[in-house]
Amino acid sequence: MGVLRMLAETFVFNTSMRGFMKLYKTPHRFLRCLWALYAISMLSLWITACYFLIEHYSGFYVTVQQSERIQDITPLPSITLCSQAPMGDHAASLWSNGTIMSPMHLHAAMKRSMRNAFGNGTSRRLSQFYAAKDVFYADKISTYFQNIDITEARRIGMRPEDLLVFCLMKHTPNNNPSVSHDEICRLSVKWVRHPLYLNCYTVTVDQEDTLDVSSVSLILRSGVAQPLPLQGHVFDLFSQSQGLKISLHEQGSHPNIDESAISVGMGRNTEIRYTLVQHRRLNLGNQRSNCLDSEKTAKQRVLRDFDETYNYTFDACMSQAIGQLILGECNCVSAFHLVTQVPTRNTPFCHYHEGENTSSLLSRLDCVRNIKLPHRIAQLRTTTCLRRCNFNQFDMQVSSAQWMPTRWQLKLVLQLAPAWDIMIDHHSSEAEVAEARRRLMSFIDSPNEQRQLLSNTSEPDISRLTLVTVSRATYNTILKTETLQVTLSTLLAQIGGLGSVTIGLTITVLFEVCEYFYLTTFNIYKHLRDKRRKRKNPAALEEDEKSDDDGGSGAGEGVCDGDCEEDAIGDIFGDDNDDDDNKSSVKQDDSAGDHAHK
């Protein structure tokens, strides 16, 4: 108990925290209880608050700060176009001559599979009905896409010249509308496959023109207006329509058509005004906020879909990883994700239908359904696929109005606009220049009454056309930057502020801790030294103490030698030594008395 008391008194006499000195020196029991309650409650409050502050700091919660960069000229995004009526005009002839299997042929094969699943019609086993039901719900265009070769899908789908009728871009240097001018687009076109729309196309304005282009106007054509004679699936009712799907995304990236595309109807003048939003994420190196902090690292991870390559994005990486997961566990290729392995007979598409035998198809579908994707996706988000620290997003505002073109306007634009470019282009041949000159002179010399003649023609079919204009809302860029809600300096300031308010804990306590360990070590060493000397020679220890007392009294009050500090500490924490000295003196007196008696 003496050592514990010594440690406690050393702490009380040397700390600057509030309440502990009062707790020790107050003579009244009631006040000591009050100060004890204060010290315990404030210390508990401070420890609890520190726990929640540290927990909040370790969660790495962020705040998004938004700013705006004025006149920040950036390249135009890529535009991906898909026809919701996916079949081209040339599909019927390919089906009729048997070059490519028609949807009706697949539809008939699936009906025979349903008939085989029912058996003789007298059985009422639920497994047969479930099998027939799965085949029935699989009767749609995406199943047809997975039962033909990818080259055949490209042949029967929309071709780029069928989908994109005309393109006009507006140049606005320095964002000054008074000097803007129009010209035909110079585009690069890239094929993108999709199981619902077969052929989609990504168009990108050439890099040399994209900085001062303020808008791009596209005249687009949809697929066939009516179902073709050999076209038909039951559940195409919920996917096909007379319209287009349009998606804006970064140049070189894979479009996320299923999540980010918007629908545009035919015969409409649709304007898509976008604002570029640049995101800057914090890379803290933990599972919650880990990201690819280098554009070079992101570019090195090239993604592939069949023979097409794309720059790294989080969505495309997740699509590829899920496709590989399905391939590994179910031995089939998912058509709705990026395909890294070309389907074969051994590893077909998951909805591949092998004649009238549906067992393989149903087993693959059951395998894909039983994959616990939410758990797997959570793992992929923190290991295989990381978000980029810097990425762009396009916020779109869509407006639409009735489009009212006339045939003579469309025909003159389609014929004459390319003729002007041929005349200007130095690389045009003499035959091309002569034909372009003939068209232009015919238009210039023709009377206005010819417009009526042009309006009587049936081409082009206006009912299958629509106008889409993609334009910048402004040349400004919105910048969203992540910052930590609680940084290390903020955490230390909050902990220090709470400590100062509750128990008076300041930075001085750190030095007091060092002082406490020094004094504790010194006192324990002195205590053990005195006990060891006392066990060896108690009489010599008493003589040393008496000599110390005589020397102190002879020197006068207020004067002491170098051992004064040790004597003072010994007076405070020397209870055990005093007791031992008293006991030894009593024993000596008793022995002296016995000797005199004898």
Side-chain angles (χ1 to χ4, degrees):
M1 292 299 294
V3 175
L4 295 178
R5 183 179 180 183
M6 178 187 65
L7 296 177
E9 290 181 346
T10 303
F11 170 75
V12 169
F13 290 151
N14 292 277
T15 184
S16 62
M17 293 188 292
R18 292 189 292 268
F20 294 97
M21 184 65 72
K22 291 282 188 179
L23 176 63
Y24 184 79
K25 285 188 174 183
T26 301
H28 302 286
R29 182 183 298 272
F30 176 73
L31 293 179
R32 285 200 299 270
C33 292
L34 286 181
W35 281 110
L37 178 63
Y38 167 81
I40 294 173
S41 60
M42 291 297 103
L43 187 61
S44 302
L45 176 63
W46 180 73
I47 294 175
T48 304
C50 289
Y51 169 77
F52 286 109
L53 286 174
I54 295 174
E55 184 183 30
H56 187 72
Y57 170 76
S58 60
F60 297 102
Y61 297 100
V62 297
T63 301
V64 179
Q65 296 181 350
Q66 180 172 315
S67 59
E68 188 174 6
R69 288 204 295 251
I70 309 300
Q71 290 296 312
D72 183 36
I73 302 177
T74 55
L76 286 173
S78 293
I79 307 170
T80 297
L81 311 169
C82 302
S83 175
Q84 291 179 286
M87 302 301 177
D89 297 332
H90 49 280
S93 60
L94 296 174
W95 292 334
S96 299
N97 57 26
T99 304
I100 299 174
M101 181 183 65
S102 67
M104 288 301 295
H105 179 80
L106 178 63
H107 175 72
M110 298 181 73
K111 288 198 297 183
R112 289 193 297 269
S113 299
M114 287 186 281
R115 180 67 181 84
N116 293 335
F118 272 103
N120 56 12
T122 60
S123 176
R124 294 294 303 273
R125 288 184 301 175
L126 290 179
S127 59
Q128 295 177 340
F129 291 106
Y130 281 125
K133 178 184 175 182
D134 288 340
V135 176
F136 173 70
Y137 278 96
D139 188 15
K140 46 191 170 184
I141 185 65
S142 59
T143 303
Y144 174 73
F145 174 82
Q146 299 176 63
N147 280 269
I148 59 176
D149 190 77
I150 190 65
T151 57
E152 297 176 343
R154 297 188 67 171
R155 292 179 63 186
I156 64 175
M158 293 287 291
R159 294 175 295 197
E161 59 270 18
D162 298 333
L163 181 63
L164 182 58
V165 179
F166 188 77
C167 178
L168 188 72
M169 58 184 180
K170 178 178 288 187
H171 290 262
T172 309
N174 300 322
N175 197 19
N176 186 1
S178 60
V179 294
S180 62
H181 65 279
D182 300 330
E183 61 178 285
I184 296 179
C185 301
R186 289 181 287 273
L187 302 174
S188 60
V189 181
K190 187 175 185 177
W191 172 73
V192 180
R193 62 103 197 160
H194 194 277
L196 291 179
Y197 314 118
L198 301 187
N199 295 340
C200 299
Y201 297 97
T202 298
V203 295
T204 306
V205 179
D206 289 345
Q207 190 68 27
E208 60 183 14
D209 298 325
T210 186
L211 294 179
D212 60 347
V213 173
S214 59
S215 65
V216 175
S217 298
L218 306 168
I219 298 178
L220 304 172
R221 179 189 289 115
S222 176
V224 291
Q226 299 296 329
L228 296 172
L230 298 178
Q231 176 185 357
H233 291 288
V234 176
F235 284 91
D236 288 350
L237 173 68
F238 299 96
S239 61
Q240 295 188 21
S241 61
Q242 194 69 14
L244 301 169
K245 284 284 189 178
I246 298 179
S247 175
L248 304 184
H249 53 95
E250 293 182 82
Q251 294 186 11
S253 64
H254 184 268
N256 192 354
I257 299 172
D258 296 326
E259 296 182 7
S260 63
I262 62 173
S263 297
V264 175
M266 292 294 101
R268 307 291 296 179
N269 180 5
T270 304
E271 183 178 13
I272 304 175
R273 296 173 61 86
Y274 75 89
T275 301
L276 177 62
V277 181
Q278 293 184 349
H279 295 265
R280 299 291 182 265
R281 292 170 55 89
L282 285 174
N283 186 14
L284 302 176
N286 59 1
Q287 291 186 352
R288 181 169 180 172
S289 60
N290 197 9
C291 61
L292 295 176
D293 57 357
S294 174
E295 290 295 332
K296 182 179 179 180
T297 304
K299 290 180 180 179
Q300 288 176 351
R301 299 182 60 178
V302 177
L303 305 177
R304 183 176 298 276
D305 184 40
F306 283 97
D307 294 332
E308 302 293 336
T309 57
Y310 300 94
N311 294 337
Y312 178 89
T313 60
F314 172 75
D315 293 334
C317 179
M318 290 295 297
S319 177
Q320 179 177 280
I322 294 174
Q324 292 176 346
L325 174 66
I326 294 174
L327 177 63
E329 296 196 6
C330 301
N331 196 32
C332 65
V333 178
S334 174
F336 288 90
H337 300 93
L338 266 66
V339 176
T340 56
Q341 177 177 331
V342 178
T344 61
R345 288 288 182 179
N346 296 327
T347 56
F349 278 116
C350 294
H351 278 77
Y352 181 73
H353 183 265
E354 298 98 340
E356 299 179 2
N357 183 14
T358 60
S359 59
S360 299
L361 170 63
L362 296 179
S363 64
R364 289 194 297 267
L365 295 181
D366 289 338
C367 177
V368 174
R369 292 193 191 102
N370 293 328
I371 295 178
K372 297 180 179 180
L373 275 183
H375 176 68
R376 299 295 184 87
I377 290 175
Q379 293 179 341
L380 293 174
R381 291 168 63 96
T382 57
T383 55
T384 305
C385 298
L386 301 178
R387 292 187 180 274
R388 293 176 297 167
C389 296
N390 302 328
F391 63 95
N392 297 333
Q393 182 182 356
F394 300 95
D395 290 347
M396 295 183 292
Q397 298 177 351
V398 182
S399 59
S400 180
Q402 187 68 34
W403 188 38
M404 296 185 298
T406 60
R407 287 190 176 89
W408 73 268
Q409 290 174 321
L410 290 171
K411 198 156 189 174
L412 289 180
V413 167
L414 297 178
Q415 290 182 355
L416 300 182
W420 291 109
D421 288 348
I422 293 174
M423 296 294 296
I424 298 174
D425 190 3
H426 299 288
H427 300 285
S428 301
S429 63
E430 295 183 0
E432 292 175 340
V433 172
E435 177 62 22
R437 182 186 298 274
R438 186 192 64 79
R439 290 182 183 180
L440 294 175
M441 296 304 298
S442 175
F443 165 71
I444 295 173
D445 297 336
S446 63
N448 292 337
E449 288 76 12
Q450 191 174 1
R451 296 181 182 178
Q452 184 65 30
L453 298 175
L454 291 173
S455 299
N456 294 331
T457 60
S458 60
E459 292 294 337
D461 186 3
I462 298 178
S463 63
R464 293 174 56 184
L465 299 180
T466 189
L467 175 64
V468 176
T469 301
V470 179
S471 62
R472 307 175 191 263
T474 62
Y475 277 91
N476 302 339
T477 300
I478 296 176
L479 183 62
K480 293 185 177 181
T481 306
E482 289 185 356
T483 57
L484 280 174
Q485 291 184 358
V486 181
T487 60
L488 181 59
S489 59
T490 306
L491 176 66
L492 295 178
Q494 291 177 347
I495 292 177
L498 286 172
S500 179
V501 169
T502 54
I503 56 176
L505 184 66
T506 61
I507 199 69
T508 310
V509 176
L510 297 178
F511 296 94
E512 293 176 354
V513 170
C514 299
E515 180 187 23
Y516 172 74
F517 280 112
Y518 171 76
L519 294 177
T520 301
T521 304
F522 178 78
N523 292 332
I524 291 176
Y525 168 75
K526 182 178 181 301
H527 183 73
L528 296 177
R529 186 195 63 182
D530 292 344
K531 279 191 173 183
R532 186 171 58 254
R533 293 177 60 186
K534 183 178 180 180
R535 284 196 302 269
K536 291 181 178 180
N537 191 359
L541 182 62
E542 289 181 2
E543 292 178 358
D544 291 340
E545 292 178 352
K546 289 180 181 181
S547 62
D548 291 340
D549 294 339
D550 295 338
S553 60
E557 185 179 0
V559 180
C560 64
D561 57 4
D563 296 332
C564 182
E565 181 180 357
E566 297 182 4
D567 294 340
I569 296 176
D571 293 339
I572 296 176
F573 303 110
D575 295 341
D576 294 341
N577 294 335
D578 294 341
D579 293 340
D580 295 338
D581 294 342
N582 292 334
K583 292 178 182 179
S584 62
S585 62
V586 171
K587 291 180 180 179
Q588 291 176 1
D589 293 341
D590 292 341
S591 61
D594 294 340
H595 181 72
H597 179 71
K598 291 179 180 180

